[in-house]
């Protein structure tokens, strides 16, 4: 007998039929003798619908009222799911975050969980109940309802699993696991049997949206085995585990676990900036002050040693504002310097803990791109990641060529 925390996202509970299907799935686990805590999101589209209504009435709604409003979405699904379970003979009780005792700080719309009371939940489970909990919400010290930020139900699931010492936290969603890369761009992408927490964090922050980043961090911190799987079809999904818990024999041990990519960035270059101390901070200071996040940074070493080129990337949405800042504030301050900008770029990244122990990943990556005649504009590396910036029009070609070259293609692993 195991204790599972099962989280179902918005599309998984998006209609009455879907809620019925979730109830059947939960019943299946219970029939096999397991204890189940279910965490649900609001029905798909509901949180947006509520947000739109708020905006229509007040352009700057008070965060406390937003949380009061948005928490109702999940309250609808917990009660409906409990009813659906009871209908098929499964004893079930619904609980809001406050009723459970999911205590958070008072940072409305982005609250952090501080403590979860588990005594009542455990008693319900022992009494044979399926416990249904509203995701994404909690209660602060003064009894105000709080929410955890968009996508926060994942975090509720993982936090409950940690607090209850569950055997596994299962995140049911509309994809059947974590893929080596986006199957819409690379048809040979394949589902991973498992992936480490660190790799998952890199892939998530690079733009693959399977799980809320905070939930993965939480799972890593509290060592909660986390599994992503489909609520629409049966299958083992993808297990996300700590690197130390990888089983030597059964784990795939690839150099690279996944390829992430984004067209969401733009590149700016200041040519011929003086090569003296303080320049980088004079360029990036005003940008940081404007709350614009800079991702990659490259400073060239000029042959003469007096001047250098300074290149960096920002989110595409910040491109115009950054350009304006450079033109109006930074360039006049530095004196001279030519500005080049390009918002038709893509960033492609290889991610894998295998990189730690193997040299040559970067050179292989560069060779693959060279063979495809793809020019590399920028490079950055970390312990388990190598990213390159290339022209946007080459992105699909690059992802597919790298996917094949690093042995990630579906057909390469027959045993799966
Ligand atoms: N309903 C919330 C949202 O749409 C929380 C969640 O689904 O995880 O962001
Ligand atoms: Mg979600």
């Amino acid at each position: 007998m195991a204790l599972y925390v099962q989280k179902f996202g918005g599309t998984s509970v998006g209609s009455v039929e879907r809620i019925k299907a979730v109830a059947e799935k939960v019943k299946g686990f219970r029939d096999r003798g397991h204890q189940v805590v279910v965490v649900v999101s609001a029905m798909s589209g509901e949180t947006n619908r509520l947000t739109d209504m708020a905006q229509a009435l007040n352009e700057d709604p008070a965060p406390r009222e937003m949380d009061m409003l948005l928490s109702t979405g999940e309250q609808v699904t917990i009660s409906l799911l409990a009813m659906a379970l009871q209908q098929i003979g499964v004893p079930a009780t619904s609980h809001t975050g406050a009723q459970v005792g999911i205590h958070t700080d008072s940072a409305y719309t982005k609250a952090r969980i501080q403590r979860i009371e588990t005594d009542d939940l455990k008693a319900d489970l022992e009494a044979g109940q399926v416990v249904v909990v509203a995701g994404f919400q909690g209660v602060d010290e003064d009894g105000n309802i709080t929410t955890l930020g968009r996508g926060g139900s994942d975090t509720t699931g993982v936090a409950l699993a940690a607090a209850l010492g569950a055997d596994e936290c299962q995140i049911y969603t509309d994809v059947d696991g974590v893929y080596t890369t986006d199957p819409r761009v690379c048809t040979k992408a394949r589902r991973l049997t498992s992936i480490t927490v660190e790799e998952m964090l890199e892939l998530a922050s690079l733009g693959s949206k399977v799980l809320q980043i905070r939930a993965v961090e939480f799972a890593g911190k509290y060592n909660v085995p986390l599994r992503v799987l489909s609520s629409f079809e049966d299958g083992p999904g993808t297990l996300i585990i700590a690197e130390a818990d990888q089983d030597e024999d059964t784990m795939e041990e690839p150099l690279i676990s996944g390829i992430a990519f984004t067209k969401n960035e733009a590149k700016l270059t200041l040519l011929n900036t003086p090569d003296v101390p303080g320049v980088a901070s004079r360029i990036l200071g005003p940008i940081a002050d404007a709350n614009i996040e800079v991702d990659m940074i490259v400073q060239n070493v000029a042959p003469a040693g007096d001047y250098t080129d300074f290149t960096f990337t920002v989110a595409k949405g910040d491109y115009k504002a950054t350009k304006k800042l450079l033109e109006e504030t930074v360039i006049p301050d530095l004196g001279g310097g030519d500005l080049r900008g390009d918002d038709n770029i893509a960033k492609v990244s290889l991610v894998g803990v295998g990189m730690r122990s193997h040299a040559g990943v970067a050179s292989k990556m560069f060779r693959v791109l060279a063979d495809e005649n793809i020019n590399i504009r920028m490079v950055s590396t970390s312990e388990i990641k190598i990213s390159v910036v290339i022209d946007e029009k080459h992105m699909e070609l690059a992802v597919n060529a790298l996917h094949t070259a690093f042995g990630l293609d579906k057909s390469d692993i027959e045993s799966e």
Side-chain angles (χ1 to χ4, degrees):
M1 189 195 79
L3 169 58
Y4 291 109
V5 174
Q6 305 187 318
K7 181 259 170 178
F8 292 88
T11 45
S12 305
V13 292
S15 66
V16 166
E17 287 70 38
R18 291 299 316 151
I19 291 174
K20 254 189 214 170
V22 168
E24 289 293 348
K25 197 177 264 299
V26 171
K27 180 176 191 296
F29 275 86
R30 203 172 156 281
D31 287 350
R32 274 171 270 146
H34 302 305
Q35 292 182 326
V36 187
V37 174
V38 189
V39 175
V40 284
S41 290
M43 294 168 84
S44 55
E46 179 64 6
T47 309
N48 289 338
R49 190 183 73 87
L50 295 169
T51 304
D52 289 348
M53 282 199 290
Q55 289 294 333
L57 292 169
N58 187 325
E59 54 199 37
D60 189 19
R64 181 184 182 279
E65 303 314 323
M66 277 312 285
D67 281 1
M68 186 65 99
L69 175 70
L70 296 189
S71 65
T72 63
E74 273 72 12
Q75 196 169 332
V76 170
T77 40
I78 49 169
S79 47
L80 290 177
L81 179 59
M83 290 174 202
L85 283 163
Q86 291 160 6
Q87 175 69 30
I88 54 175
V90 179
T93 344
S94 63
H95 306 258
T96 64
Q99 285 174 332
V100 170
I102 298 181
H103 298 278
T104 72
D105 60 21
S106 303
Y108 296 118
T109 75
K110 47 178 184 299
R112 298 211 157 239
I113 297 175
Q114 290 174 330
R115 176 171 61 87
I116 296 182
E117 287 171 38
T118 54
D119 290 353
D120 289 352
L121 291 186
K122 282 182 179 153
D124 282 355
L125 287 169
E126 287 308 322
Q129 299 267 336
V130 166
V131 175
V132 185
V133 178
F136 168 65
Q137 56 178 261
V139 63
D140 78 358
E141 222 174 84
D142 301 319
N144 298 299
I145 291 175
T146 55
T147 67
L148 309 179
R150 294 306 302 265
S153 297
D154 289 350
T155 300
T156 304
V158 177
L160 272 171
L164 290 165
D167 294 284
E168 195 168 284
C169 179
Q170 304 182 328
I171 308 278
Y172 288 88
T173 175
D174 45 3
V175 294
D176 68 347
V178 179
Y179 274 69
T180 47
T181 195
D182 188 337
R184 285 169 301 188
V185 164
C186 175
T187 51
K188 290 176 178 164
R190 92 190 137 74
R191 185 181 49 77
L192 292 159
T193 306
S194 66
I195 185 169
T196 68
V197 169
E198 285 163 294
E199 290 168 325
M200 191 62 217
L201 285 174
E202 285 288 359
L203 290 173
S205 66
L206 293 169
S208 61
K209 287 176 227 70
V210 192
L211 280 172
Q212 201 204 26
I213 293 179
R214 242 171 89 193
V216 181
E217 284 170 351
F218 217 103
K221 190 167 164 194
Y222 294 99
N223 239 315
V224 177
L226 188 60
R227 191 181 293 276
V228 175
L229 57 190
S230 165
S231 65
F232 297 87
E233 51 192 87
D234 289 334
T238 300
L239 184 63
I240 301 159
I241 43 167
E243 204 177 337
D245 291 343
Q246 281 182 319
D247 179 344
E248 292 280 320
D249 305 327
T250 57
M251 280 293 296
E252 306 154 23
E253 280 189 75
L255 211 47
I256 299 304
S257 295
I259 303 178
F261 52 84
T262 173
K263 290 185 182 176
N264 249 336
E265 292 187 23
K267 175 164 81 80
L268 292 130
T269 302
L270 273 175
L271 294 169
N272 296 320
T273 54
D275 192 12
V276 293
V279 167
S281 109
R282 274 158 72 191
I283 296 173
L284 297 180
I287 292 168
D289 291 344
N291 265 322
I292 295 171
E293 234 180 277
V294 171
D295 179 25
M296 283 170 134
I297 303 170
V298 171
Q299 184 181 321
N300 297 2
V301 182
D306 304 340
Y307 289 93
T308 164
D309 300 337
F310 194 92
T311 306
F312 60 93
T313 62
V314 295
K316 214 171 238 180
D318 291 329
Y319 178 58
K320 285 214 177 84
T322 309
K323 215 170 151 200
K324 199 163 164 231
L325 254 175
L326 291 175
E327 279 162 355
E328 290 175 5
T329 310
V330 175
I331 295 179
D333 169 47
L334 286 176
D338 237 0
L339 178 61
R340 300 279 157 80
D342 186 353
D343 62 351
N344 293 311
I345 59 164
K347 183 172 78 173
V348 176
S349 309
L350 302 182
V351 174
V353 291
M355 261 183 232
R356 284 210 188 102
S357 45
H358 289 85
V361 176
S363 64
K364 181 169 174 180
M365 181 185 202
F366 301 159
R367 196 170 60 244
V368 171
L369 296 173
D371 287 347
E372 300 293 342
N373 246 320
I374 297 171
N375 204 5
I376 300 168
R377 310 250 171 225
M378 295 173 85
V379 181
S380 83
T381 62
S382 74
E383 224 185 336
I384 64 163
K385 178 183 78 175
I386 303 175
S387 305
V388 295
V389 168
I390 58 175
D391 290 345
E392 187 179 282
K393 61 174 188 264
H394 292 138
M395 193 188 78
E396 293 206 20
L397 176 61
V399 170
N400 278 278
L402 291 166
H403 201 269
T404 302
F406 282 92
L408 296 176
D409 286 357
K410 225 185 242 166
S411 53
D412 291 352
I413 300 193
E414 299 300 345
S415 59
E416 269 244 294

